Amino acid sequence: MTGSDTLQVAPGAGWAIEAEVVVVGSGVAGLTVALRCAAAGRRTVIVTKARLDDGSTRWAQGGIAAALGEGDTPEQHLADTLVAGAGLCAEEPVRALVTEGPDAVRRLIALGAHFDTDDAGALALTREGGHHRRRIAHAGGDATGAEISRALVAAVRAAGIRTVENALALDLLKDAAGRAAGVTLHVMGEGRHDGVGAVHAPAVVLATGGMGQIFAATTNPPVSTGDGVAIALRAGAEVSDIEFVQFHPTVLYLGPGAEGQQPLISEAVRGEGAHLVDAAGERFMVGQHELAELAPRDVVAKAITRRMLELGTDHMYLDARHFGATMWARRFPTILAACRAHGIDPVTEPIPVAPTAHHAAGGVRTDLAGRTTVPGLYACGETACTGVHGANRLASNSLLEGLVFAERIAAAIAASRGSSSGPRRSTSRLASTNTSAPKLTIPNTIGMSWE
């Protein structure tokens, strides 16, 4: 046997927690699943790689899309989503998203999330790329994700849900029948647990966010390293549409050597009337699409790239000087501060921008209840491929997807006999290398069965 043939056996768990549901990840998807499962009486544990609020959710600037405005309908939201997905969305999950979305947002508000309102007290809705109506609810101007994260974390703590922070999820545990039976973890840092341990539970939900850190430059935080997809693959689950990584068109350009998490310039800035221009001040999106700067993200990102190639440059500009200082400070305080921190004042000068890796539209393949191809294993949020996004996510559908499908997963777990029968321990010790070949599929989602 050669060295390459040797399995590196993981150390045995030094501690264990017994539960009925274990949720891996603490963004909008994971925390919503946990809250709903706990409310249904399931013993729920949340494990997260850093702190509860360190995921992608709190970085979301633009908002959450739902047909909440006067004259708007789920059918119109459906149409915009299908167009943005470049013909590769699965219509059934999209219909579930847009139909259940408005009430899911209302439940989030009832939970304690505070969204911006107009003078009459109604939700202040804005537009983003690909939307034909104002349907984006936002909070703190451009701090929607931070507010949603705050509200959900507060609700989790108020509910007394057990959490394990600084915990890197290693592998899925399975029982003798091949069903999910929990996860192994490596807890790093101080806390009640340390080192390698396990949470035993017959329902496992992967909600670890995206994988942006596989790119040199991304809008994703450092924790977004594709952990959930990797765990699922090692467990033999199917992954779909993994090649569909969305590049956000307008990320603050910090130079050719910029690496790691880059500051996002929300699409809502264009929704409020900012223009994309080249160095000469020419608006190059006019005439390229009926929505100009508010075309779907793939259209805008490609147009920016073409213009950069034509001019031999590595960035374009977003011009919102006409907003004025008051509007910038009120509507986009986070973006204003980020730009100024890098020596750019959008009140007086155009913002240099370039497309950058942003969102994984594919992931662990699921059905309408978030079930993967491994019994007892669920996936949600950016970790999952629900079929909603197709080849290009419609702006601000990501938070909504996490919210709606998290509720669907919780409902499925609550109705499952397996989740109420108590945890089942794995019958064998896990190795760090899974010898069963994982199934990696890259199908066209048209014609797929979404149960």
Side-chain angles (χ1 to χ4, degrees), residues 379-391:
C380 194
E382 199 172 348
T383 304
C385 180
T386 61
V388 159
H389 302 307

Side-chain angles (χ1 to χ4, degrees), residues 262-447:
Q262 308 295 297
L264 179 68
I265 308 299
S266 170
E267 206 152 90
V269 178
R270 281 175 281 140
E272 297 292 354
H275 302 145
L276 278 167
V277 298
D278 58 23
E282 181 180 346
R283 286 182 63 189
F284 56 88
M285 284 304 302
V286 176
Q288 297 215 28
H289 191 278
E290 62 168 335
L291 295 176
E293 280 91 354
L294 286 179
R297 287 180 177 174
D298 61 333
V299 175
V300 179
K302 290 173 185 175
I304 291 174
T305 302
R306 282 196 300 269
R307 194 66 161 184
M308 290 191 304
L309 290 173
E310 290 169 3
L311 299 178
T313 185
D314 48 13
H315 64 281
M316 289 287 111
Y317 295 91
L318 189 64
D319 192 352
R321 290 174 291 178
H322 54 286
F323 285 5
T326 300
M327 179 176 173
W328 265 110
R330 174 183 57 82
R331 182 66 179 85
F332 301 110
T334 305
I335 297 171
L336 178 63
C339 287
R340 286 178 170 170
H342 291 282
I344 299 154
D345 189 349
V347 176
T348 60
E349 60 185 316
I351 306 167
V353 294
T356 302
H358 181 57
H359 181 271
V364 185
R365 186 176 185 271
T366 72
D367 65 9
L368 285 172
R371 292 181 290 249
T372 74
T373 53
V374 174
L377 179 65
Y378 301 78
C380 194
E382 199 172 348
T383 304
C385 180
T386 61
V388 159
H389 302 307
N392 175 62
R393 175 175 64 88
L394 181 67
S396 287
N397 268 359
S398 54
L399 291 174
L400 189 70
E401 180 198 25
L403 201 61
V404 167
F405 286 90
E407 292 186 347
R408 283 178 158 261
I409 287 174
I413 291 174
S416 170
R417 287 180 298 172
S419 63
S420 60
S421 62
R424 291 172 286 187
R425 292 181 180 272
S426 171
T427 57
S428 63
R429 188 176 181 179
L430 285 181
S432 62
T433 301
N434 193 319
T435 57
S436 62
K439 299 176 181 178
L440 176 61
T441 60
I442 311 295
N444 182 320
T445 53
I446 294 177

Side-chain angles (χ1 to χ4, degrees), residues 20-202:
E20 292 176 290
V21 184
V22 56
V23 179
V24 186
S26 58
V28 61
L31 296 184
T32 300
V33 170
L35 284 165
R36 302 283 286 191
C37 286
R42 304 297 185 190
R43 285 178 292 132
T44 303
V45 174
I46 301 168
V47 299
T48 188
K49 189 159 67 173
R51 308 294 294 177
L52 276 182
D53 62 351
D54 276 344
S56 292
T57 292
R58 73 181 178 95
W59 294 98
Q61 295 174 346
I64 185 166
L68 295 163
E70 184 177 353
D72 197 6
T73 65
E75 284 297 323
Q76 294 176 65
H77 190 181
L78 173 77
D80 286 345
T81 300
L82 294 178
V83 169
L88 292 177
C89 299
E91 186 168 337
E92 191 176 1
V94 176
R95 191 170 294 280
L97 177 82
V98 301
T99 302
E100 298 170 21
D103 283 342
V105 173
R106 294 184 185 105
R107 284 188 288 273
L108 182 61
I109 293 171
L111 190 69
H114 302 294
F115 289 91
D116 296 341
T117 58
D118 59 23
D119 293 339
L123 283 176
L125 302 175
T126 190
R127 282 182 65 192
E128 292 184 10
H131 293 272
H132 283 78
R133 284 192 174 272
R134 286 184 171 264
R135 65 169 65 98
I136 316 299
H138 51 84
D142 58 358
T144 309
E147 171 57 19
I148 290 174
S149 181
R150 181 207 62 78
L152 290 173
V153 168
V156 163
R157 288 174 174 156
I161 298 174
R162 189 168 185 176
T163 63
V164 184
E165 296 178 302
N166 302 310
L168 175 63
L170 301 174
D171 277 302
L172 184 72
L173 292 168
K174 292 183 181 180
D175 64 13
R179 288 184 52 89
V183 289
T184 54
L185 311 169
H186 184 192
V187 177
M188 302 160 287
E190 298 179 359
R192 293 179 58 187
H193 305 287
D194 197 10
V196 176
V199 179
H200 299 123

